[in-house]
Structures are given as C-alpha cells and as structure tokens.
Amino acid sequence: MKKIPVLLIGCGGVGRQLLQHIVSCRSLHAKMGVYLRVVGVCDSKSLVAPMDVLKEELSDELLSEVCRIKSTGSSLLKLDALEKGGYRVFNDSESRRETEEIAKLLGKSTGLAVVDCSASMETIEVLMKAVDLSCCIVLANKKPLTSTLEHYDKLVSHPRLIRHESTVGAGLPVIASLNRIISSGDPVHSIVGSLSGTLGYVMSELEDGKPLSQVVQAAKTLGYTEPDPRDDLGGMDVARKALILVRLLGKRIVMDSIKIESLYPEEMGPGLMSVDDFLYNGIVKLDQNIEERVKRASSNGCVLRYVCVIEGSSVQVGIREVQKDSPLGRLRGSDNIVEIYSRCYKEQPLVIQGAGAGNDTTAAGVLADIIDLQDLFP
C-alpha cells in the first residue's frame, strides 16, 4: 500500500468536505493501492497533529470530530477538552512552527502533500518553505497563485510537485485540459470563460426580465453569494481565476494589469455602505442601467454574461454580449463554462462546462489532485 502523508491547511467548507471524502473513499483508495495518511489539520488559530508524525496519523474518528467542531464555527483548540490520547493541539503561536516542523520531518523522508483549502494570503510563507523542502503542493486557494510573480515562480518551479485544478472551475478539468494543450505544442490564442457560479446565476436570471436587485437578494437567500454579495459582484474572484489561466500560458501578468468591471460603483463599496443598505437601498439604483443593457443585448440576438476574456497578454473581466445560441449564451444557473481557442480548436473551441462551485465539487477536485501525485511517493 502506497501511503501519502497529507497536511491540510484550512478547515472551512471545502477542507471539511475533503476530510469527509478521504474517510468515505478508504475502500476505493485501498483497491487503487493508495492510503491517505492525514498527519495534520490547521485552521487559522490552531493545529492538530499526531504525537509522532513519522509513524502515526489522525484517526478517521478524530477527523470526523474535527469536521463536527469546525462546522459549529469553533476552533480546533476545543479538541483539547476531549482528553483523548494520540494527538496534540497547538495554539496560534505554536501552530506555524509545528506545521513547518512536520514539513521538515516528512518532506525529505516519506514526502508530504501540503493541501491549502483556505482562502488566505497568510499561507504563502508556509507554502514557500514547503517548496524548499520538496513537498508536494495541492491548492484550492487561489491567492498564492495570484500573489507576486516571485511567489508564483517559486510555487510552480517544480511543475510535477504542484496541482491546483480546483482553483479554477472547482472540480472541472480546466487546468488539466489547458496543460495538455500547452504540452502538445498547440498555441492557445484566446480563452473566454464564465467562471463565477454566482454571477452566472445572476446573468441568466436577468434574461427572464427580473431586476438586478431582486436577483441578487434571491441569490443571497439561496446561499449562492458571500455574506456580502459585493465580494462576488466586484469581479475579483473571476479576475483571480483569469490570472491563474493567463500565467499558465506563460504571460508575466499581475493583477493590476487586469481590467475589471464591477457591477456596483465605488460609492456603494463596503467601506461606504453597509450590506443591508446596499441590498435594500443601493442596488435598486442599478436596476435601470442593467435592464437597458439586457434589452439592448436582446435586440441584437444576444444575452449578457459576466466573463473573463484572455487574448495574448490582455485580460478583461466584465459583462459582455454573447450570441444567445452560443455555449456561453445557453449557460444557465450556476454552471461554469470555459472556451479555449487554439490552432487545433480554431473554429470550434474546446468547451468545458459543468458545476463550477460548491464545497463538494471543489473538495472532489482537490482529492483527485492528491491521488494524481501518488507516483511521487515511495
């Protein structure tokens, strides 16, 4: 049985779902000759690890308890009160040092997969040290790959040791497909993608004549948006995904060079207007403009979609009119879609479409990435 030690950073919705997938897939992975040995789980304030990371692991029972505790919003420090043996819990001041120690112990011996399912920039320092220690890196967190070019270059300096399929399109095979095209020598000319489940839902609902304010309020009620919907409506999440794709194509691009169209003006920003004020007073003022754009697009046989467009070194993120009968135009609900145009896919693009959001789908993509690394472990 090939054993892969796993250190998980981030125990929010995706991280918890990943742990549940690891436990539920034990029999499947056993048939594949693979065993995932979880040697540490971190949240923003603490770390839980076995007494001896070289020989021991966190039990499936403990992983289930970790998921239960984190689902209530509590810290992993609460595990200390359970007084069960076989593991240690480190507080905020100790957890980073111990995380690096685990990477040192396992990185150069059995190997280690450091899995970042957080949404934080603060993991970058740990990831940089993990790269130095020849650890494998698996990312659902987009922020390390969209940081400075110096950080990016180091993360991808050993391409065989990094996987990040779930950073773009959740579990959709966008990164893998693009890598195969690049490896074949087929030059990519452009990429067009609807990469936000939230904005995809909003745009397809606008087609039915509903006002923007009503659609956003409904999306928030359904749990499709962040607690502050402006985190979605500002377009930054789509811009990060676009930056990951354009950097994968070898372009030396930084975030400031991406043109981003926000669906709300600066004067309605988080620092100037509360969430409730925005939802019930501010966004209503945007209804007429969006309604006029929807009607104008319809008169041209088009619909509106919030997309990223990559052409050469140019990256633009915002609302575009697309033909109603095109793959993008037919997109409904919260699905993601990516169209890749290259020499081989010139007239008819390679189209990748499916569920592009959700903890379950994203965690499944992360798990597949970990398993894909199995040949690198002894």
Side-chain angles (χ1 to χ4, degrees):
M1 188 73 72
K2 181 169 286 191
K3 295 185 178 181
I4 303 177
V6 174
L7 173 62
L8 173 63
I9 302 172
C11 205
V14 175
R16 293 197 304 274
Q17 194 69 58
L18 174 62
L19 293 178
Q20 290 168 13
H21 281 334
I22 288 173
V23 172
S24 65
C25 289
R26 290 294 188 202
S27 58
L28 171 65
H29 292 159
K31 291 175 185 176
M32 297 167 62
V34 178
Y35 184 83
L36 301 188
R37 193 169 73 87
V38 182
V39 296
V41 177
C42 310
D43 61 15
S44 60
K45 295 182 173 65
S46 46
L47 160 72
V48 58
M51 301 300 288
D52 183 351
V53 294
L54 288 171
K55 299 177 182 176
E56 300 169 357
E57 66 196 78
L58 300 178
S59 68
D60 288 354
E61 179 188 12
L62 183 61
L63 295 180
S64 298
E65 186 63 23
V66 164
C67 292
R68 187 192 67 78
I69 287 173
K70 291 304 299 179
S71 66
T72 66
S74 301
S75 165
L76 291 175
L77 292 170
K78 197 170 183 179
L79 286 168
D80 254 350
L82 298 179
E83 297 182 352
K84 293 183 179 179
Y87 64 86
R88 301 169 292 168
V89 181
F90 301 94
N91 63 30
D92 190 20
S93 61
E94 304 167 323
S95 60
R96 177 168 290 186
R97 184 185 69 247
E98 289 300 323
T99 299
E100 292 172 4
E101 191 60 32
I102 291 172
K104 284 179 187 176
L105 285 170
L106 296 174
K108 297 291 187 180
S109 54
T110 62
L112 175 68
V114 178
V115 182
D116 185 357
C117 288
S118 73
S120 171
M121 289 288 282
E122 294 181 9
T123 61
I124 292 175
E125 186 180 335
V126 171
L127 293 174
M128 294 297 106
K129 291 184 178 177
V131 170
D132 288 336
L133 294 164
S134 302
C135 297
C136 293
I137 307 293
V138 178
L139 302 172
N141 183 6
K142 294 177 281 292
K143 292 179 181 176
L145 290 171
T146 56
S147 180
T148 65
L149 282 168
E150 181 184 0
H151 287 148
Y152 179 82
D153 289 342
K154 187 162 184 177
L155 276 172
V156 301
S157 57
H158 302 290
R160 290 279 295 136
L161 301 183
I162 184 168
R163 299 288 186 279
H164 56 95
E165 189 64 75
S166 290
T167 57
V168 179
L172 294 176
V174 176
I175 303 296
S177 301
L178 196 52
N179 272 327
R180 286 179 66 85
I181 291 173
I182 293 167
S183 298
S184 72
D186 182 11
V188 174
H189 304 312
S190 64
I191 299 173
V192 182
S194 176
L195 295 172
S196 166
T198 304
L199 292 173
Y201 169 83
V202 168
M203 290 295 135
S204 61
E205 289 292 293
L206 289 174
E207 278 179 62
D208 300 332
K210 298 174 185 175
L212 176 66
S213 56
Q214 181 184 322
V215 172
V216 172
Q217 287 164 12
K220 188 174 189 300
T221 302
L222 290 167
Y224 288 171
T225 73
E226 295 294 326
D228 184 343
R230 287 169 293 189
D231 291 344
D232 299 294
L233 301 176
M236 182 55 73
D237 186 60
V238 176
R240 287 195 183 101
K241 294 171 184 176
L243 183 55
I244 289 169
L245 293 178
V246 75
R247 284 181 170 180
L248 199 61
L249 296 177
K251 308 300 182 184
R252 309 288 290 171
I253 301 294
V254 295
M255 186 62 76
D256 288 345
S257 63
I258 297 178
K259 185 179 178 182
I260 306 170
E261 177 186 2
S262 172
L263 294 191
Y264 64 88
E266 285 185 25
E267 57 266 27
M268 292 185 189
L272 301 171
M273 190 177 279
S274 69
V275 176
D276 287 343
D277 197 15
F278 173 73
L279 280 174
Y280 300 105
N281 298 311
I283 196 170
V284 179
K285 298 173 184 175
L286 309 177
D287 285 346
Q288 185 178 348
N289 176 260
I290 292 293
E291 183 183 353
E292 289 171 357
R293 292 179 71 172
V294 170
K295 287 179 179 177
R296 190 161 58 246
S298 181
S299 67
N300 296 328
C302 297
V303 292
L304 298 182
R305 291 291 181 262
Y306 194 93
V307 299
C308 72
V309 179
I310 299 170
E311 293 176 316
S313 296
S314 167
V315 184
Q316 297 185 24
V317 172
I319 296 177
R320 280 212 173 188
E321 289 188 13
V322 300
Q323 288 296 315
K324 199 168 187 176
D325 60 353
S326 67
L328 268 166
R330 292 192 297 269
L331 192 69
R332 300 293 296 177
S334 59
D335 275 8
N336 280 193
I337 188 169
V338 178
E339 299 177 354
I340 302 173
Y341 295 83
S342 68
R343 185 189 66 228
C344 295
Y345 299 98
K346 189 175 182 180
E347 303 301 328
Q348 296 295 327
L350 173 64
V351 179
I352 304 164
Q353 179 179 349
N359 295 335
D360 190 5
T361 311
T362 305
V366 174
L367 181 57
D369 273 351
I370 298 171
I371 296 300
D372 192 45
L373 292 165
Q374 61 179 292
D375 290 343
L376 301 176
F377 290 81

